[in-house]
Amino acid sequence: MAKKKKKKPMLSSSAQLGMIALLIPIAITVYVFAFFAWKELQTLPIFEDLAQQKAIEEIQQNFDMEIPEQYIPIYVAAEEKYGVPWTLLAAHHRIETRFSTMKSLVSPAGAEGHLQFMPCTFVGWQHPSCSGLGKGDIPKAELMNPGTIKKYGGFGVDANGDGVADPYDIEDAIFSAANYLAKNGAADGDVKQAVFQYNHSDEYVEDVLYYFNLYNDYHDELKEAVVLNKEK
């Protein structure tokens, strides 16, 4: 039986080593190019948006109920105007109406809107119909009139400049709450006292402060992520 001849390699050992030596720098060059290309892609708006959205989602996982992102820029704007932490406004909103998800925005006692203002607090206790708990007998046109509110020393605010201070408008409601809290000490750091003035209940104060402290742990991170996302 004839012996099979061994096939000689197409390239000699020295040629193979030379080829490897040639391919190594090429592979390194390709890797470096791909690395910097990926870094450059990450600076594109779509990748930045995805990163910010992921950061928001990770923070929201710490809460039993997510803070609706569309409200955070309003809280922040109110914070900038009145000096009340936006996280305190979010905490009030969470307690009062579960971020406006309750079926009715009118309480059995007569508090109204997203942040549950008693009509007399909103329009002003100097209104002739105001007494007792503050439900009053106030026509809607008076309740939401900035001029009437100023006349009677109320806390209602026309935040969006439409000529109406409406407790059922989310911007007006949040700014009105910030106005009230600021004038009762929150802007000066007396948060507990301000919350108690909002609702004279120790349990209420405890509940609001619980969420305030929880949200406040992420005050800057959540504010930056959401507001930057909105500005793009």
Side-chain angles (χ1 to χ4, degrees):
M1 189 177 199
K3 292 183 179 180
K4 291 183 179 180
K5 292 182 179 180
K6 292 183 180 180
K7 292 183 178 179
K8 291 184 179 180
M10 294 180 64
L11 296 174
S12 65
S13 297
S14 58
Q16 289 177 5
L17 289 173
M19 185 67 71
I20 291 171
L22 179 65
L23 290 174
I24 287 174
I26 294 174
I28 293 173
T29 301
V30 170
Y31 174 81
V32 170
F33 176 80
F35 175 80
F36 284 104
W38 171 243
K39 286 292 184 182
E40 188 67 25
L41 282 172
Q42 287 181 310
T43 64
L44 294 176
I46 186 171
F47 284 95
E48 290 182 352
D49 292 345
L50 288 172
Q52 287 167 358
Q53 191 60 43
K54 184 179 180 182
I56 294 168
E57 290 172 358
E58 288 177 351
I59 292 173
Q60 295 273 30
Q61 289 175 3
N62 295 287
F63 310 146
D64 61 346
M65 185 176 188
E66 290 189 1
I67 304 173
E69 289 179 38
Q70 68 269 28
Y71 296 150
I72 294 177
I74 306 174
Y75 301 142
V76 170
E79 175 186 61
E80 291 172 352
K81 181 169 183 179
Y82 294 100
V84 175
W86 76 260
T87 43
L88 180 60
L89 298 171
H92 272 281
H93 198 182
R94 166 66 179 81
I95 293 299
E96 291 291 356
T97 58
R98 294 179 62 84
F99 297 121
S100 304
T101 61
M102 294 174 66
K103 187 174 181 180
S104 174
L105 293 182
V106 179
S107 76
E112 300 183 37
H114 298 279
L115 271 296
Q116 295 289 279
F117 271 94
M118 293 302 292
C120 289
T121 303
F122 198 80
V123 78
W125 279 85
Q126 296 175 37
H127 190 279
S129 73
C130 285
S131 63
L133 293 176
K135 188 172 182 180
D137 184 17
I138 307 166
K140 183 177 179 180
E142 288 190 9
L143 178 70
M144 300 184 182
N145 187 316
T148 304
I149 292 170
K150 183 177 180 180
K151 176 182 177 181
Y152 294 123
F155 294 93
V157 173
D158 172 20
N160 56 18
D162 64 357
V164 176
D166 183 358
Y168 295 95
D169 177 271
I170 190 64
E171 290 181 89
D172 291 355
I174 290 172
F175 272 63
S176 298
N179 183 30
Y180 184 90
L181 291 166
K183 289 178 179 174
N184 280 281
D188 300 318
D190 198 349
V191 171
K192 187 174 182 179
Q193 172 63 24
V195 176
F196 184 77
Q197 290 301 317
Y198 205 97
N199 187 320
H200 293 183
S201 161
D202 291 334
E203 183 180 358
Y204 178 86
V205 173
E206 184 178 336
D207 290 343
V208 170
L209 292 183
Y210 168 78
Y211 284 104
F212 168 57
N213 290 323
L214 177 63
Y215 300 156
N216 220 32
D217 286 340
Y218 307 96
H219 179 285
D220 294 339
E221 296 94 329
L222 200 50
K223 172 182 173 180
E224 182 180 356
V226 172
V227 173
L228 281 177
N229 245 2
K230 185 175 183 293
E231 288 175 351
K232 288 182 178 181

